Amino acid sequence: SEVLDAGVTAKRELFYVRPYHPPSEFFTTSDTDSLKALVSAVDFLHSMGRAHGSIKPSNVFAGRGRMRIADPSLCRNRTDSRRSLTEEDIRFSAPEVLSGGEISVDGDLYSVGALLYRFFSGRDPFEDSDLESLKAKYIWASPRSLGSVSHVSKVMGDIVTTLLDKDPRVRIAAFESLKEELDIAATPAVRAPAVGRREDVEKAL
């Protein structure tokens, strides 16, 4: 999502202003166009050498033929944030990030896998009413395979399973397979929304 304005508050906290986006249609359609748009958007971001760090349903806006990913994490480490992790944060953050690791491209790919798991099955890998227990499951437990909870093809099921693997090193190959499966060509980098804001970001960090 484009950035309209940005700066640093008196408390040295970075702020930015983005446009309002209507509620996402990502989970309300079975059309693979939304999947292709999401994967293309993530591919574009990573081609700029940037990790988003907060790819989750509330930050994905699909509709009217467009896809936007908004509100990236501005902390190198999600545990550095002064706010507690929400249920959504837990469900869509990579295990290594939940364990205190830094945000990364590999972590973003886990988030994409979690989004695809819900897109195809209508459910999430784990359930627990207690957030600490839910977090522990996402860090340590192995989810049921997507193929066992949906009618997705074996190829797509295997891709999503690998994107959700605890080992971040295997996710890039799975993402490349996902692009091939969805017939998505490489996305050339043109412009990032925060171009020209380096000074503001460095002041805040």
Side-chain angles (χ1 to χ4, degrees):
S1 178
E2 57 268 47
V3 174
L4 303 178
D5 191 19
V8 180
T9 68
K11 295 183 179 180
R12 299 182 63 80
E13 296 174 338
L14 180 69
F15 74 88
Y16 65 94
V17 180
R18 66 165 172 81
Y20 166 79
H21 301 307
S24 179
E25 300 173 5
F26 185 75
F27 293 112
T28 61
T29 176
S30 59
D31 193 340
T32 58
D33 285 346
S34 292
L35 289 184
K36 291 181 179 181
L38 172 68
V39 173
S40 293
V42 173
D43 189 37
F44 171 81
L45 181 65
H46 292 171
S47 72
M48 297 291 294
R50 299 290 183 180
H52 187 280
S54 192
I55 298 176
K56 54 187 180 180
S58 62
N59 288 343
V60 173
F61 299 90
R64 301 178 184 176
R66 307 186 73 176
M67 167 67 69
R68 292 182 174 88
I69 303 177
D71 303 337
S73 175
L74 299 177
C75 297
R76 293 186 181 91
N77 185 314
R78 287 291 292 276
T79 59
D80 288 340
S81 174
R82 278 173 278 187
R83 66 181 179 82
S84 300
L85 292 176
T86 66
E87 179 181 335
E88 188 183 48
D89 290 330
I90 293 171
R91 292 188 183 283
F92 295 92
S93 296
E96 66 272 15
V97 175
L98 292 175
S99 297
E102 292 188 356
I103 64 172
S104 65
V105 169
D106 296 329
D108 281 354
L109 299 185
Y110 179 94
S111 301
V112 170
L115 282 168
L116 265 59
Y117 195 101
R118 181 182 288 186
F119 180 89
F120 285 118
S121 70
R123 57 189 293 178
D124 297 306
F126 304 104
E127 295 296 337
D128 203 299
S129 58
D130 180 77
L131 290 188
E132 284 302 315
S133 296
L134 182 66
K135 180 180 175 182
K137 288 180 179 179
Y138 272 91
I139 292 175
W140 301 109
S142 297
R144 295 179 61 182
S145 67
L146 180 60
S148 69
V149 294
S150 73
H151 298 293
V152 72
S153 70
K154 183 180 185 306
V155 172
M156 184 61 74
D158 289 345
I159 288 172
V160 173
T161 295
T162 308
L163 288 173
L164 295 176
D165 198 286
K166 307 299 183 189
D167 184 354
R169 296 171 296 181
V170 304
R171 296 178 198 147
I172 290 180
F175 188 69
E176 292 301 316
S177 297
L178 177 62
K179 291 195 294 182
E180 291 179 8
E181 182 69 10
L182 296 176
D183 193 24
I184 296 174
T187 306
V190 178
R191 180 177 174 83
V195 165
R197 305 292 186 181
R198 181 179 296 277
E199 183 178 347
D200 290 328
V201 173
E202 290 179 347
K203 284 180 180 177
L205 296 179

